Amino acid sequence: MTKNRSNYVNKIEVLNDALKVSFANNSEDIFPNLWLRDHAKDESNWDERSNQRKTFTAGLNPNIKIKKANISNEGEYIDIIWSDASNNIKYSSEFLYKNSLKYSHDKNQIKIWENKEIKDDIFLNYKNIISDEGFKNLLTKLYSLGFAVITDCKKDMSSVELLAKKIGYVRNSIFGGLWSFESNADMADSAYTNEELRPHTDSTYSNDAPGLQLLLCCEYDAKGGDSIMVDGLKIAETIKSKKKDLFEVLTKIEVPGNYTGDGVILEAKRPIIKLDDKNRITQISFNNYDRAPFRLNPELTKIFYEAISLFDNMANSKQYQWRHILKPGELLIFNNWRVLHGRGSFNGKRKIKGCYINKEDFDSSCKINGLI
Ligand SMILES: [Fe+2]
């Protein structure tokens, strides 16, 4: 593998309680001594087999000094001798660069979308995604757009299971691990229709909502029943740019979700649009069916209803909905932390098999394949 010399170290300067590092690509950063000492990766401070820290950080001198520091291997490493030790400790330029304050690992692969932006390349063939290259292509699609449809799957649980195991493992929940469901409305009785299931995310009542959901169509003898995908990120970003005050409400107010039945009562709460400490959107949680009762003051109540109505009306507008009737052998896979799913009304018979995969296991697969 060729080394990336752009993050090699050009110059260092020992400051009183920190080390100033300049990289070949002209970026620079000041690393505090205590942080550097805490991240020593020599034998006595780091366990290479388990990738775990051995250092007793709380026992370090907070005013630790650098006795000596120099650049080695033409800038690939910095060697430091600390005041509490006599051995040389190596820090790779790559490690320092990736941990500099300005470093952004965002490879910009996330594409937010509305209906017209989804093209036919959202369909991937089962045979292709089983190969390493094809599998990476599937993960890329899932990472960038939040969903994909895999065609020509075997119409039984084996394809669901194989795919789940390729990404992570099947998640167990109150519904079991691998599940099947069947809707059978009498086609002759036009009064009975399986009503449209409006877009939502699953498990707003769980502290750790499932990351991926897999839905394989095994049988379809019906009219309607299209699968609906809506990019929650697109809705969030649109509200952010047009209705700042309502965006605030959706990011601040924790909404409880509830599941009562089958001998359990599950409840969790979080904002509909969850942000991280850098104000980036990390999760969309919206399920009007499962929302539990909760109170706000009268003024906030009014704004809250305005905000969820805007969100829900957008999710139910054709502009944001990608719709497709799954044929037998087609498997829909989507990121439940981002994409809302729904199903159009239908008459007839549908048999679906599927499962959930944890979000962290999907993330892990993306990291192992170099996507994030
Ligand atoms: Fe659902």
Side-chain angles (χ1 to χ4, degrees):
M1 214 165 82
T2 52
K3 287 175 179 169
N4 177 10
R5 287 177 180 265
S6 71
N7 58 27
Y8 273 26
V9 176
N10 258 354
K11 210 174 107 191
I12 55 172
E13 187 183 340
V14 177
L15 307 175
N16 186 36
D17 54 4
L19 184 71
K20 186 172 173 185
V21 179
S22 309
F23 297 92
N25 57 17
N26 291 326
S27 70
E28 53 180 39
D29 201 358
I30 292 173
F31 295 90
N33 281 353
L34 188 58
W35 187 91
L36 281 173
R37 177 61 186 82
D38 182 40
H39 291 86
K41 287 199 170 174
D42 64 325
E43 234 184 12
S44 58
N45 287 289
W46 184 254
D47 187 331
E48 277 223 11
R49 286 172 313 167
S50 65
N51 285 308
Q52 284 180 304
R53 177 182 290 103
K54 286 161 119 181
T55 316
F56 177 47
T57 304
L60 294 175
N61 174 1
N63 299 310
I64 192 159
K65 300 289 176 206
I66 292 175
K67 272 203 277 192
K68 199 177 160 205
N70 53 276
I71 298 171
S72 64
N73 265 36
E74 299 171 344
E76 192 178 356
Y77 296 99
I78 296 175
D79 297 342
I80 298 178
I81 299 178
W82 292 102
S83 56
D84 68 349
S86 53
N87 62 316
N88 206 17
I89 295 179
K90 276 194 172 316
Y91 293 84
S92 80
S93 57
E94 189 191 4
F95 171 78
L96 294 172
Y97 182 68
K98 283 191 172 164
N99 282 286
S100 56
L101 287 174
K102 285 179 210 138
Y103 177 73
S104 158
H105 71 282
D106 184 4
K107 292 181 184 165
N108 238 345
Q109 286 165 325
I110 290 179
K111 294 183 198 119
I112 62 171
W113 53 266
E114 53 184 58
N115 175 36
K116 65 174 192 282
E117 281 145 332
I118 298 297
K119 308 287 178 226
D120 276 355
D121 61 0
I122 204 74
F123 294 92
L124 304 169
N125 190 280
Y126 184 80
K127 266 195 207 118
N128 292 344
I129 60 118
I130 292 305
S131 72
D132 285 351
E133 197 53 36
F135 180 62
K136 205 170 163 178
N137 188 27
L138 167 68
L139 288 178
T140 306
K141 212 116 284 169
L142 283 174
Y143 185 72
S144 62
L145 297 169
F147 79 103
V149 179
I150 301 163
T151 59
D152 295 314
C153 299
K154 254 175 91 177
K155 295 179 242 0
D156 61 37
M157 204 59 102
S158 63
S159 29
V160 176
E161 199 171 6
L162 193 136
L163 187 57
K165 283 185 175 164
K166 244 181 122 57
I167 298 172
Y169 57 92
V170 173
R171 171 185 170 134
N172 240 316
S173 72
I174 36 170
F175 309 113
L178 297 157
W179 28 257
S180 306
F181 58 85
E182 186 177 336
S183 309
N184 198 351
D186 183 354
M187 285 182 87
D189 179 7
S190 59
Y192 185 80
T193 305
N194 280 295
E195 269 179 45
E196 174 149 318
L197 196 54
R198 293 189 303 274
H200 61 277
T201 61
D202 271 10
S203 306
T204 51
Y205 48 77
S206 164
N207 286 310
D208 175 29
L212 295 178
Q213 185 168 166
L214 283 68
L215 295 170
L216 168 69
C217 176
C218 297
E219 246 183 84
Y220 176 84
D221 180 14
K223 277 207 171 74
D226 11 6
S227 294
I228 305 168
M229 297 270 95
V230 174
D231 187 4
L233 274 185
K234 176 73 181 182
I235 294 185
E237 293 292 353
T238 308
I239 295 177
K240 188 180 177 184
S241 65
K242 291 188 176 153
K243 292 272 182 187
K244 200 96 192 151
D245 54 331
L246 299 184
F247 181 77
E248 286 283 302
V249 167
L250 294 168
T251 56
K252 298 265 157 50
I253 294 177
E254 293 192 324
V255 180
N258 174 285
Y259 180 93
T260 302
D262 309 318
V264 297
I265 299 175
L266 300 174
E267 200 154 314
K269 59 176 181 178
R270 58 185 161 268
I272 289 169
I273 302 169
K274 196 172 165 194
L275 304 177
D276 68 8
D277 58 352
K278 293 187 174 69
N279 283 330
R280 293 174 299 206
I281 299 170
T282 54
Q283 186 180 11
I284 303 292
S285 304
F286 186 85
N287 192 319
N288 205 53
Y289 299 103
D290 290 342
R291 179 163 42 81
F294 75 113
R295 292 297 308 273
L296 298 162
N297 71 43
E299 197 188 333
L300 259 183
T301 303
K302 210 174 145 209
I303 303 172
F304 173 72
Y305 278 102
E306 196 186 335
I308 60 167
S309 299
L310 174 63
F311 191 100
D312 215 356
N313 279 324
M314 287 174 78
N316 282 282
S317 130
K318 295 275 186 299
Q319 180 187 348
Y320 297 101
Q321 293 188 346
W322 179 86
R323 283 179 172 248
H324 171 74
I325 297 175
L326 288 177
K327 294 173 204 58
E330 286 184 341
L331 186 152
L332 176 64
I333 177 168
F334 57 90
N335 178 355
N336 183 56
W337 282 39
R338 169 181 172 184
V339 174
L340 292 87
H341 62 283
R343 188 217 359 91
S345 61
F346 74 101
N347 282 108
K349 193 171 161 190
R350 265 172 110 230
K351 275 190 187 170
I352 303 282
K353 293 186 191 298
C355 75
Y356 290 135
I357 299 173
N358 288 319
K359 174 69 161 54
E360 63 201 31
D361 297 313
F362 168 52
D363 288 345
S364 163
S365 211
C366 289
K367 285 174 192 162
I368 295 280
N369 283 280
L371 301 185
I372 43 176

